[in-house]
Amino acid sequence: MRFIKSAVWLCAAASFAACSAPEESPEQTGLAQQEAALTTGTTQGCTYSITADSVPGTVPPRYSVSLSRAASSTCPWPAASVTLDSGSYAFPARALLANGYGLAVTYTGKYSPSGSSPTSCSVRQIDPETLAVVRSSGVAVWLGSGNIYSCNLDQTDGGATLVVFGTKNGRIYGETGSGSNYVATYYDFFTTTTAPVFYAY
């Protein structure tokens, strides 16, 4: 997985030159990235985790995404948990990033049981104390004509800029480049509402 992640940064760093990752289907790459994604992180002395589970009694089954904070001697706030989403008909891929600027999470969702309905990625900034959503954004294929298979997190500029990356099929509105891999760069994510810049390869 380090190779796949390196491939993302190699493409982004080389003036968006043409670049290719190992031969894998988008679904295989998405599952592999989901396994590699960080789902736990620490900021301000507190440890946070993002999890997914089935919603009891739902037919067809739906899945929820929850964020929790563990109690510890270094954390100024008590243990807490909040449900971020409970409407996906596909098991969500998830990621969490915590740094000195704050807390960010991503998760995929498919919001119709129809086999042709698209899967998209939610991007959220979370208040570390209240666990409330501070900023909402997302990554989706234009006009719902494709899927976002994974949405992992990284950072640049010392943590000020959030980077969401993963695999897809279809075209994200406003993207440059082309291909089944994407990078969404949110400059100053924690302090502004600047729209992301999308690149595909």
Side-chain angles (χ1 to χ4, degrees), residues 87-99:
S88 179
Y89 288 91
F91 192 78
R94 314 161 305 289
L96 180 149
L97 187 144
N99 62 26

Side-chain angles (χ1 to χ4, degrees), residues 161-172:
T161 294
L162 189 76
V163 178
V164 182
F165 67 97
T167 54
K168 66 178 178 69
N169 69 346
R171 185 171 183 82
I172 299 170

Side-chain angles (χ1 to χ4, degrees), residues 1 4 22-36 149-150 152 166-168 180-181:
M1 286 305 96
I4 292 177
E23 291 293 331
E24 290 181 309
S25 71
E27 293 87 349
Q28 289 172 325
T29 304
L31 288 172
Q33 289 186 351
Q34 176 182 343
E35 292 172 0
Y149 294 111
S150 60
N152 299 309
T167 54
K168 66 178 178 69
S180 59
N181 301 279

